[in-house]
Every structure is written in structure tokens, then in C-alpha cells.
Amino acid sequence: MTKYGSFPGARPRRLRTTPAMRRMVAETRLHPADLILPAFVREGISEPVEIGAMPGVYQHTRDSLKKAAVEAMEAGVSGIMLFGVPEESKKDAVGTAGTDPDGILQVALRDVRAEVGDDLIVMSDLCLDETTDHGHCGVLDAEGRVDNDATLERYAEMAQVQADAGAHVVGPSGMMDGQIGVIRDALDQVGHEDVSILAYTVKYSSAFFGPFREAVGSSLKGDRKTYQQDPANSRESLRELALDLEEGADMVMVKPAGPYLDILAKVADAVDVPVAAYQISGEYSMIEAAAQRGWIDRDQAIMESLTGIRRAGANMILTYWATEVARKL
């Protein structure tokens, strides 16, 4: 055995002695450019509406959304992901509001793009769940099941109108088989070759989506287990990844983030495209609720959770704290 002059000979604590030392040797760093702000815009309201299950997050008016986008841009956040919440009366079985050029999401895309230009990446959620009266991410067949191929036709139309409205990036989140290839073809056919696709490649059927239902005024009946992934499975994530890349995804995403850091790490190790992770509503709400009760230190918990996601391999993190954290960084 090698003997040292003192015991213990190895003292890793030397590199933890001061804040400056810890900062110098840190292996993982957060930067404002790593962050993307998810934001909700709701039709038919005159003032922002706070989401009860997500304190500090709002359903925006068109005007307050523009203000939020500018604040994110000024803080150094890289992008904003928009979700549209139409009036209840405008929902129908096929999500017509999702392909109406005057639907709330398309109007909001034009608003935000006019406000920030190319200084903030404007992203759009490409899914039918906010606009259907049944709340599913696709068109239903006669037996009430989500019809994959009929849904792809709707996604193609959505991609085109969202790109026309100014989206730099579309984010297909419905987990339909073949969605990336269909959307890429649809965009290219109408001259939107430069619009990128952020594929929701790995999206689990998660209990942590709960508060999001309130955020988008979901009309969901049943669940999404027939198209979102089973939390018990890991290998199928890599299969979904291979398919999305083959079909033309420019970037890929893992959602949720925190409960699936193992999946995030596998995806990050397997690809040479940018990897995003979405710190979803339930992750946000748990930290906020525990902090309100004095059970945890809010600011430290936020930073630790984001650092963990970044450490696992995410190049970009969608988080409702994006602007707040960017300002602190």
C-alpha cells in the first residue's frame, strides 16, 4: 500500500473551500442562453389570469404576452414556446382553431414575432389538444380512438400556418408515429425550409402534467396512454429518437425532465443534435408549493433542479422560471 505523509492523502474538500473555488472548478454551468420560456396566451381575456396550480405563471393576454417576450429577450433567454388557449366555444372535434390563421396561437405568433424579430427564438406548440373539444392530441375515429394518420394531416396544416405566422421553430408534441417526417415535408412544400423542428421525441404519460391541464384549459376526457410513452420503459425512447432523427428532426426533447434524467442522459449520449428537456408544470408546482410552506429554500431548489437537468445532458431547458433565473445568472 502506498503511504502518504498524512492521512488522508487525498483531500477533495480542498476544491470546495470557498465560493470562488467551487465556481472555478464547477463542471456544469447554467447560462441564460440555455433557457426557453413556455408561455400561455388565452383568447377573450382583458387581464392576465394567474394559474391556480402554478403560482407566478399566467395565462397572458396578447399585450401581456408581448411584454413577457420582451422581458425574456432582455434577460438573455434564448426562446419562448407559445401555447394558445382558445375560447371554449371555438373548440371542436378536429381542432379547427389550430389551423385557422386567426386562431389565438397564430395571432400570438405574429404579435410576438413583430415585437422581438429574430432576437428571440419564437417557438410554437404543434398539437391539437388545446383546440379539441375532447382534449386529445389528435383526431378521433368512430370508436373514440386517436387516429394516427388522420391526425398527421392536421399536423401538416398546423405546421404551415404556424410557420406562416412567424414561428422560427415548431414543436410537435402529440407523439404520433411519423409526425416529424410529415411536418418536414409540409414545411418544405410551402417554402419554409428554414423553419426548424424541435421534436418532442420522448414524452411520457406523466402525472406531473397535472397543473398544465389548468394552464391550457384542457377538455381532456380519458388519458393519453395510447400515444405517450409508458414511464416503465426506457429502450423505446431510443427507438423514438432514431425515428425522429431519420425523419428530419433538428432538435430533440425529453419531457418531463426531472423524473427522467436517466433517459435524458441516454439521449444526450446518443445524438449529435441539440437536446432539450422540459421542466414541466408539476415539477414547477412541487417546488413552489414546498417553498411556500417553508419546507425548502425556493431559490436553491430551483437552481439545483436546473443544474441537474443541465448536468444530465440538456443543451436547452424549457422552464417557467426562465426569465427569473436568467436575470439572476
Side-chain angles (χ1 to χ4, degrees), residues 151-169:
T151 298
L152 294 182
E153 295 181 20
R154 299 290 293 133
Y155 286 1
E157 295 177 60
M158 292 185 77
Q160 291 172 344
V161 297
Q162 289 179 0
D164 287 342
H168 294 103
V169 178

Side-chain angles (χ1 to χ4, degrees), residues 219-233:
S219 302
L220 181 64
K221 301 175 179 66
D223 58 48
R224 298 181 173 132
K225 294 182 184 298
T226 63
Y227 45 102
Q228 293 179 353
Q229 289 177 235
D230 185 341
N233 292 349

Side-chain angles (χ1 to χ4, degrees), residues 34 154 259 280 289:
D34 301 334
R154 299 290 293 133
I280 66 169

Side-chain angles (χ1 to χ4, degrees), residues 104-213:
I104 183 59
L105 180 54
Q106 287 69 254
V107 170
L109 285 166
R110 290 195 291 270
D111 286 344
V112 172
R113 185 66 188 275
E115 197 76 14
V116 302
D118 292 332
D119 294 331
L120 182 72
I121 301 302
V122 180
M123 304 177 171
S124 56
D125 178 60
L126 200 165
C127 196
L128 288 170
D129 58 324
E130 292 100 356
T131 58
T132 53
D133 54 14
H134 47 72
H136 278 286
C137 298
V139 178
L140 304 185
D141 64 18
E143 297 182 22
R145 301 171 300 189
V146 175
D147 185 325
N148 191 93
D149 296 0
T151 298
L152 294 182
E153 295 181 20
R154 299 290 293 133
Y155 286 1
E157 295 177 60
M158 292 185 77
Q160 291 172 344
V161 297
Q162 289 179 0
D164 287 342
H168 294 103
V169 178
V170 295
S173 59
M175 292 298 289
M176 295 298 119
D177 295 338
Q179 63 184 15
I180 302 305
V182 166
I183 289 167
R184 183 72 269 160
D185 286 347
L187 290 170
D188 292 352
Q189 286 170 14
V190 293
H192 286 302
E193 294 90 351
D194 290 339
V195 173
S196 302
I197 299 176
L198 170 56
Y200 283 59
T201 293
V202 181
K203 184 176 180 182
Y204 283 94
S205 180
S206 172
F208 294 97
F209 287 129
F212 185 86
R213 309 280 189 254

Side-chain angles (χ1 to χ4, degrees), residues 202-204 206 208-209 253-265 276-283 305-306 308-310 312 314 316-319:
V202 181
K203 184 176 180 182
Y204 283 94
S206 172
F208 294 97
F209 287 129
M253 184 194 294
V254 175
K255 181 179 182 182
Y260 296 95
L261 294 181
D262 59 325
I263 306 300
L264 174 58
Y278 196 148
Q279 185 180 52
I280 66 169
S281 58
E283 298 175 70
S305 67
L306 291 170
I309 296 166
R310 185 77 177 84
M316 305 167 290
I317 305 172
L318 287 83
T319 175

Side-chain angles (χ1 to χ4, degrees), residues 296-312:
I296 59 174
D297 182 297
R298 177 182 180 274
D299 291 351
Q300 289 190 33
I302 291 170
M303 297 304 291
E304 184 177 337
S305 67
L306 291 170
T307 300
I309 296 166
R310 185 77 177 84
R311 187 185 64 243

